[in-house]
Amino acid sequence: MVESVKSIDVNELVQRLASGTQSLQLIDVREPEEVAIAALEGFENLPLSQSQEWIPKILERFDPDVETYVLCHHGIRSAYTCQWLESQGFKQVFNIAGGIDSYSVAIDRSVPRY
C-alpha cells in the first residue's frame, strides 16, 4: 500500500476550487481514453503510463511550493503520484480520495462513470 499521503475528499476539493484564494495545481494521471470519457475542468492530464515523458519536466511545469491536487479514477494511481511528487520536493500535495468516480457520485452526476 502507499505510504501515508495527504488526502481530501471530493467535497473538500469543490470547496477548495470554489475558494479561489490562491493558485492551485491540478493534475489528472488517468489515461487519455479515460479523460475522453470523463474530465474535470482545469486538470492537466499527465498519464501515468507516459510518466517517462513528463517526469524530467515536472519541476519546469509545476511549482513544488504551490498546492497540488492529484486525481485518477479511484485514488490509487493518484496516491502513488502524490508520494512521488513529495519525493521530488513538492510540499503541499493532496490525493483526491475516491477519484473522479467519487466526484461523479457525490458532486456531479452528469460526469460519466466508467
Side-chain angles (χ1 to χ4, degrees):
M1 189 62 191
V2 179
E3 290 180 32
S4 64
V5 295
K6 291 175 276 189
S7 290
I8 64 165
D9 66 29
V10 292
N11 293 304
E12 292 172 290
L13 173 68
V14 169
Q15 292 172 355
R16 197 70 195 91
L17 294 173
S19 73
T21 53
Q22 66 187 52
S23 61
L24 306 175
Q25 299 176 132
L26 307 172
I27 300 173
D28 184 336
V29 296
R30 296 174 302 135
E31 297 307 307
E33 54 273 14
E34 292 178 277
V35 174
I37 296 168
L40 299 183
E41 189 177 334
F43 279 80
E44 184 168 343
N45 186 220
L46 299 178
L48 209 48
S49 68
Q50 298 171 21
S51 60
Q52 70 282 358
E53 296 170 22
W54 55 260
I55 279 178
K57 301 175 193 147
I58 197 72
L59 292 173
E60 296 167 21
R61 294 172 74 176
F62 297 95
D63 184 339
D65 295 320
V66 173
E67 280 183 42
T68 304
Y69 294 84
V70 186
L71 176 77
C72 70
H73 191 203
H74 287 114
I76 304 302
R77 289 175 284 178
S78 53
Y80 281 108
T81 303
C82 287
Q83 190 175 22
W84 180 81
L85 287 168
E86 288 175 346
S87 78
Q88 300 303 302
F90 283 72
K91 296 169 185 67
Q92 300 179 74
V93 181
F94 300 90
N95 181 40
I96 300 168
I100 198 163
D101 191 63
S102 180
Y103 186 91
S104 176
V105 171
I107 305 297
D108 184 353
R109 292 192 176 272
S110 73
V111 173
R113 295 184 74 197
Y114 63 95

